[in-house]
Amino acid sequence: MKKRILTGDRPTGRLHLGHYVGSLLNRVKLQDEYETYVLIADVQALTDNFDNPEKVRENVLQVAMDNLAVGVDPKKSNIYIQSMIPEVADLTVYYSNLVTIARLQRNPTVKTEISQKKALFGEDGGSVTYGFLGYPISQAADITAFNADLVPVGEDQLPLIEQCREIVRKFNSLYGEVLKEPEALVGEVARLKGLDGNTKMGKSLGNAIYIGDSEEETIKKINNAVTDPNKIKKDDPAEPNVCMVAYYHSIFSKNEYEDICKECRAGVRGCVNCKRQLADNINNELSGIREKRKYYENHVDEVKEILKQGTANARIITKETLKNVKKAMKIDYFE
Ligand code: ATP
Ligand code: MG
């Protein structure tokens, strides 16, 4: 039997280069080897976007198209919508008893996300609902509903996987060995930084190059990226370690990176050309993906059908897990 992967994204916006290097490439690479379930986490997106359901709904399709565009193959992987799997909501309720409020408040991912919200939207934006504080529990339900072996994620998600493992251990020790402890798999770039120098490129942070951006949008964003503030004139020497353009070159222009740094430090590399070279490399890498995305944008019904089928396949597994969980908890009354 193949091992299982559970992974996914929140439909809070289209997917960006951080997703691409952090998680999507692993998904595509591993989909032959693993039985793969790709979650579109609309319930989780609503925890901090409950006042904007249109945004979440629209982005369910966008995130599905991004996944399909990069090569998640619906013949091999199941892309499904979280809210259409009621078993996950059931599991979340049962797991809620196993997690203290203090533990949720200490979760580093939750803490960082709350402080980012405060920085973006002021103190009010940082006020925390019961639903948001509890999202690590529903994420544990997502993962364990499939008894997933492996969870490809970006580095920011590691504390959530750890919390999921804790829930599994607690559940199994109380009710018997039913759930599997998942392993996280971090991508080649654990945490891609933002164009603005933020430690993370994020949909909700306004510092991203999206997979579906046009070539022109990509060029424009790179032109506005943070560079060495001490470099004023074209021939001034500069320090690549403080320049976001150099940082992206290290990921998207690997072969040229050493020369780029030498030339930058020697003051023989102007920023205009350097940015253009980066934009060209990223645009080249994404050109096939963007073409495929255009196809799906023009065939939305096909995307909806893929989601419907993926969700139906997913439920076969989650129903089975819920049955086992309820039996272990002695609440399997009429089956
Ligand atoms: P939001 O700001 O709404 O939380 P996000 O950009 O963090 O959006 P998610 O949908 O929360 O995106 O994350 C989906 C997956 O992509 C997660 O595994 C996450 O760790 C990974 N990921 C997101 N941003 C990055 C990044 N900058 N570098 C590496 N991985 C990332
Ligand atoms: Mg996130």
Side-chain angles (χ1 to χ4, degrees):
M1 236 176 64
K2 275 188 184 175
K3 288 190 169 181
R4 263 184 215 145
I5 277 182
L6 183 284
T7 183
D9 316 284
R10 293 158 28 103
T12 49
R14 290 175 291 143
L15 301 186
H16 51 63
L17 292 181
H19 299 108
Y20 180 67
V21 291
S23 168
L24 295 174
L25 286 174
N26 266 339
R27 265 175 225 183
V28 174
K29 191 170 88 188
L30 296 173
Q31 63 184 339
D32 287 309
E33 198 183 325
Y34 287 80
E35 189 182 318
T36 298
Y37 293 87
V38 178
L39 143 89
I40 302 187
D42 59 340
V43 179
Q44 192 182 117
L46 285 167
T47 61
D48 55 345
N49 291 276
F50 55 85
D51 53 351
N52 201 348
E54 293 81 12
K55 170 177 154 187
V56 173
R57 187 184 173 97
E58 155 66 14
N59 281 306
V60 167
L61 282 176
Q62 297 296 334
V63 167
M65 290 193 281
D66 285 323
N67 270 284
L68 293 166
V70 299
V72 173
D73 180 347
K75 291 196 193 75
K76 301 175 186 164
S77 299
N78 303 286
I79 309 177
Y80 73 93
I81 303 177
Q82 187 184 27
S83 63
M84 300 303 287
I85 311 278
E87 292 77 22
V88 167
D90 283 26
L91 292 175
T92 303
V93 171
Y94 303 139
Y95 298 169
S96 297
N97 299 329
L98 311 181
V99 183
T100 65
I101 292 167
R103 176 66 181 87
L104 290 168
Q105 285 167 331
R106 272 203 317 273
N107 184 308
T109 309
V110 174
K111 270 165 81 172
T112 308
E113 285 172 352
I114 291 170
S115 56
Q116 279 170 349
K117 280 184 219 306
K118 276 191 190 152
L120 279 173
F121 306 114
E123 280 301 311
D124 268 5
S127 74
V128 175
T129 63
Y130 170 67
F132 183 78
L133 185 65
Y135 93 73
I137 304 177
S138 78
Q139 190 159 320
D142 292 323
I143 296 168
T144 55
F146 293 87
N147 263 321
D149 298 276
L150 199 64
V151 190
V153 283
E155 188 186 49
D156 65 302
Q157 295 286 303
L158 291 178
L160 295 169
I161 309 299
E162 194 41 50
Q163 182 143 29
C164 172
R165 291 165 59 91
E166 273 175 42
I167 291 172
V168 168
R169 289 197 292 268
K170 180 100 187 177
F171 185 98
N172 287 349
S173 72
L174 283 168
Y175 305 117
E177 289 288 321
V178 175
L179 305 175
K180 198 178 262 182
E181 266 189 64
E183 301 285 339
L185 177 73
V186 171
E188 191 191 327
V189 181
R191 185 191 301 245
L192 187 74
K193 294 180 193 168
L195 286 164
D196 56 355
N198 190 306
T199 54
K200 178 171 172 280
M201 181 179 279
K203 296 188 218 95
S204 309
L205 302 172
N207 61 5
I209 295 174
Y210 294 97
I211 289 166
D213 276 347
S214 67
E215 296 200 346
E216 293 69 33
E217 282 165 324
T218 306
I219 293 169
K220 216 164 132 192
K221 285 181 179 177
I222 289 173
N223 281 339
N224 289 324
V226 170
T227 54
D228 183 350
N230 292 324
K231 178 162 171 134
I232 315 286
K233 294 192 301 300
K234 181 169 167 275
D235 300 328
D236 288 342
E239 178 45 55
N241 281 337
V242 298
C243 171
M244 294 317 292
V245 177
Y247 166 75
Y248 290 119
H249 271 305
S250 76
I251 295 157
F252 297 100
S253 320
K254 278 199 191 82
N255 295 337
E256 298 141 87
Y257 182 60
E258 234 184 88
D259 290 342
I260 289 170
C261 290
K262 269 190 210 147
E263 290 170 19
C264 177
R265 290 197 173 102
V268 294
R269 165 168 278 268
C271 287
V272 173
N273 284 342
C274 187
K275 287 172 171 173
R276 187 60 205 223
Q277 183 185 350
L278 175 66
D280 286 348
N281 288 350
I282 291 177
N283 282 336
N284 281 341
E285 173 140 3
L286 295 182
S287 78
I289 291 171
R290 286 169 170 167
E291 218 167 281
K292 210 161 163 194
R293 201 180 194 285
K294 284 266 162 344
Y295 169 86
Y296 286 110
E297 285 165 15
N298 294 323
H299 295 82
V300 172
D301 284 345
E302 205 176 307
V303 179
K304 287 183 181 164
E305 198 44 51
I306 288 168
L307 288 174
K308 204 167 154 190
Q309 190 55 51
T311 303
N313 293 344
R315 269 202 92 184
I316 298 171
I317 313 288
T318 58
K319 276 184 180 169
E320 182 67 24
T321 304
L322 184 65
K323 204 168 130 191
N324 295 336
V325 160
K326 290 181 97 167
K327 188 164 175 230
M329 293 181 72
K330 307 198 185 308
I331 50 174
D332 55 335
Y333 301 111
F334 304 123
E335 282 150 76

